Structures are given as C-alpha cells and as structure tokens.
C-alpha cells in the first residue's frame, strides 16, 4: 500500500480508501471485508450518518473498534432524516451539526473522528455558522479535522477562503472531468486533499449496462468504456485502468472506493502494483469523449 499526507493534516492515508456506503446489512460479511481491507493496508474508512440511517456507522464501528488506533475514521453530516423516514432534508445549521456528532461517535464506538465532513452544501448555506460548528468540535476534541463533500466550485471556493478544511471529497472519473476545469488545480494550490468518489462512474466504465450518464449519451459512455477496455490487459483490468486515470492526476490524494466484495477490494488495492498509464494511454482516454464542464454552481 502507498500512503500520502491528506492536505495540511498530520494524517498519512492509504491511496485506496474504503467507501463504506457500499456495505450491506450482513454484519459478519461486513466484518470480513473490512478486516481484509486492514490486511491489505487500507487505513482510511469513510462513512456517513445518512447511510442506512446510521446502521452503516454502527457496522463500521463494531468491526473496526479493536483497530481504532491504527486507522482513520471519517464520517459526514448535513442530511437530516424526516420523522416519517420518507427521505431527508438538507440541514447545515450549527446546532444540528453539534447535536449529530454525538450519535456518530456512539455508533462508531469512538471518542473522536479523524475527519468530519459536510455532506453536501450550497452557496446559500449559512457557511460561517457551519464553519463555527466544525471549529468548535475541533476545540472540544471530538474531531481532529474537517472537510466538505461537494462538487460545486462556488461552494468549494468559499470554504477555501473562509475555513480550515483539509479535504474535499468529489466525484471524478473519465466520465466526469468537471473537477479538472478549476477545482483540482485550486485545491492543489491551497494544499487541500482531494478524496475521489465515483472513479468507475457507477460501473459504466467497467461492466455495467450502458445508459446515459451526466451529459453523456449511452453511445458516448460506450466510447469511454471501450477506450478503457482497449488499454486494459490481463495484468491490469478495466476497473484498475479507470482507477489509474484518476490516481495519476497530481491533485488526487486517495480514491474512496465503494467496495461490496473481497474481489473488488483486492482489485482496487492491486491497482497500486499494476503498470501505470503511459502518456499515450492517458491521451487516448482523454480523447475518447469531450471533457464535460460545469453548467451550474460555477
């Protein structure tokens, strides 16, 4: 496993991280795959209070409690379940964040989080109030660092200017190159770590049935997937090629891989030992489809 510093923080995290959202509802199966991740060197585990209405945090907390001093735990806040369970509403208020950390800590069976992230965000949020909540939690020792999970350039810029975030989690893949326009370079210049989700574009770059994705038609998705497949080999499969496209960008700290099976886990970690993409292969992928750009939230 390779380890890199997450932004300005004193956290050296694995280049492949574990996105816990993909875990199911079988506690034993979850424990098996999480422990295998530890064996393979993964030390950064990302969850959220939203996932399975908190049960995801509970699964992760129970499985990883014996290893707490060897790992980094990250969770997210901001999506408030409605009382009737029909869905959730956005709530970035200070009072809400300060209240929700208690539930996350209890479910994760820990006294602190290494990283607490705002699970979204809009330019109309009370951003200073949100930042106050995270700063207070740092002072109280309940979190070590905070960041945001957002794809919106206008929101990211405000947090860079007004807060002490150490990371931004954002979607990035061959089929979502919007971050390349401004966000990745801006975050790199400010020494803020980038945690990538969606690196295989819901599996469309690997083996899922074709469909439209963002502004791409099924035909364009097919072209991107075909490009990935064309430079994949027995030693480096399509999923690993898609991951390398992301990992080789200099702004990227870690890929938070959504993992459901031990095979997926081992393939994801195996990417670090596979042959890197050559400049010619990178160019072939980049030219497979026209890079998309943000139309909103600029």
């Amino acid at each position: 496993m390779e380890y890199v510093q997450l932004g300005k923080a004193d956290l050296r995290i694995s280049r492949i991280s574990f996105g816990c959202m993909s875990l199911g509802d079988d506690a034993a199966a979850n424990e098996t795959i999480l422990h295998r991740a530890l064996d393979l060197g993964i030390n950064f585990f990302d969850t959220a209070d939203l996932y399975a209405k908190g049960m995801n945090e509970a699964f992760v907390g129970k499985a990883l409690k014996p290893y707490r001093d060897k790992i980094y735990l990250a969770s997210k806040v901001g999506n408030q379940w409605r009382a009737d369970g029909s869905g959730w509403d956005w709530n970035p208020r200070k009072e809400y964040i300060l209240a929700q950390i208690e539930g996350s800590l209890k479910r994760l069976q820990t006294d602190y989080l290494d990283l607490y992230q705002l699970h979204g965000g809009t330019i109309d949020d009370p951003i200073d109030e949100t930042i106050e909540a995270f700063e207070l939690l740092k002072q109280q020792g309940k979190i070590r660092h905070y960041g945001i999970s957002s794809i919106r350039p206008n929101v990211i810029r405000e947090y860079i200017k007004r807060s002490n975030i150490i990371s931004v989690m954002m979607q990035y893949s061959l089929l979502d190159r919007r971050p390349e326009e401004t966000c990745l370079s801006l975050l790199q210049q400010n020494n803020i770590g980038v945690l990538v989700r969606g690196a295989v574009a819901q599996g469309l770059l690997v083996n899922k049935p074709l469909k439209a994705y963002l502004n791409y038609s099924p035909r364009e998705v097919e072209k991107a997937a075909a490009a990935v497949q064309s430079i994949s080999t027995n030693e480096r499969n399509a999923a690993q090629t898609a991951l390398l496209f992301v990992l080789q960008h200099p702004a990227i700290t870690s890929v938070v891989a959504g993992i459901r099976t031990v095979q997926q886990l081992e393939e994801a970690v195996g990417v670090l030992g596979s042959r890197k993409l050559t400049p010619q292969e990178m160019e072939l992928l980049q030219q497979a489809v026209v890079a998309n750009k943000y139309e909103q939230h600029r």
Side-chain angles (χ1 to χ4, degrees):
M1 180 58 68
E2 298 172 9
Y3 301 91
V4 287
Q5 185 173 337
L6 181 58
K8 309 179 191 73
D10 55 343
L11 311 180
R12 286 190 63 79
I13 72 170
S14 47
R15 287 278 273 159
I16 299 294
S17 302
F18 199 111
C20 299
M21 182 179 72
S22 297
L23 293 173
D25 56 6
D26 183 327
N30 292 339
E31 184 171 296
T32 296
I33 194 168
L34 288 167
H35 288 178
R36 180 60 179 147
L38 291 170
D39 292 340
L40 292 171
I42 290 178
N43 70 352
F44 185 88
F45 296 83
D46 175 81
T47 180
D49 60 6
L50 178 70
Y51 303 157
K53 299 183 178 179
M55 283 304 299
N56 192 274
E57 287 181 322
F59 283 134
V60 172
K62 182 178 180 182
L64 297 181
K65 184 179 181 180
Y67 311 95
R68 182 65 184 95
D69 61 342
K70 297 178 175 64
I71 62 169
Y72 300 121
L73 280 178
S75 195
K76 311 184 199 73
V77 67
N79 293 294
Q80 182 174 13
W81 280 101
R82 299 177 193 132
D84 62 4
S86 63
W88 59 85
D89 299 304
W90 179 237
N91 189 346
R93 308 296 306 197
K94 178 179 179 180
E95 181 181 14
Y96 180 71
I97 294 170
L98 296 179
Q100 292 309 298
I101 186 67
E102 304 302 333
S104 287
L105 293 177
K106 183 176 180 179
R107 289 185 292 271
L108 286 163
Q109 300 189 43
T110 184
D111 296 327
Y112 69 96
L113 292 179
D114 297 287
L115 179 65
Y116 204 27
Q117 301 156 101
L118 186 67
H119 203 174
T122 76
I123 199 64
D124 298 318
D125 289 348
I127 292 175
D128 289 330
E129 180 182 326
T130 302
I131 293 168
E132 284 176 14
F134 286 120
E135 290 289 347
L136 181 56
L137 291 176
K138 277 183 66 176
Q139 293 170 21
Q140 293 173 344
K142 294 177 181 178
I143 66 173
R144 294 177 65 189
H145 305 283
Y146 64 96
I148 61 173
S149 177
S150 177
I151 62 171
R152 300 182 176 194
N154 56 2
V155 172
I156 290 169
R157 280 195 300 270
E158 289 306 308
Y159 275 89
I160 290 174
K161 286 191 292 187
R162 295 153 71 172
S163 79
N164 295 307
I165 60 169
I166 64 156
S167 64
V168 172
M169 179 178 287
M170 60 196 317
Q171 184 169 291
Y172 178 47
S173 73
L174 180 59
L175 284 172
D176 189 355
R177 293 172 60 193
R178 294 174 298 174
E180 293 179 359
E181 188 178 356
T182 60
C183 289
L184 293 183
S185 59
L186 182 62
L187 291 165
Q188 189 175 18
Q189 289 162 13
N190 285 274
N191 195 19
I192 294 170
V194 180
L195 303 169
V196 170
R197 61 180 179 83
V200 295
Q202 299 176 358
L204 293 170
L205 290 170
V206 184
N207 55 11
K208 292 293 176 68
L210 291 173
K211 65 174 184 177
Y213 185 79
L214 299 178
N215 60 309
Y216 293 119
S217 68
R219 173 63 184 139
E220 289 170 315
V221 170
E222 183 179 33
K223 287 177 64 178
V228 169
Q229 193 63 51
S230 72
I231 58 172
S232 300
T233 65
N234 290 335
E235 290 76 33
R236 187 190 67 208
N237 65 24
Q240 292 171 328
T241 297
L243 290 175
L244 280 173
F245 176 81
V246 170
L247 281 168
Q248 287 183 210
H249 192 290
I252 305 308
T253 306
S254 180
V255 168
V256 182
I259 295 164
R260 289 183 172 84
T261 68
V262 171
Q263 181 182 350
Q264 288 177 343
L265 169 64
E266 293 178 345
E267 285 182 353
V269 173
V271 73
L272 299 174
S274 64
R275 181 178 60 79
K276 302 294 188 248
L277 298 176
T278 65
Q280 293 76 21
E281 289 173 328
M282 286 291 287
E283 184 177 4
L284 183 149
L285 293 176
Q286 291 165 344
Q287 292 182 352
V289 289
V290 176
N292 43 3
K293 296 186 177 182
Y294 284 106
E295 297 177 1
Q296 300 175 326
H297 317 298
R298 299 181 65 88

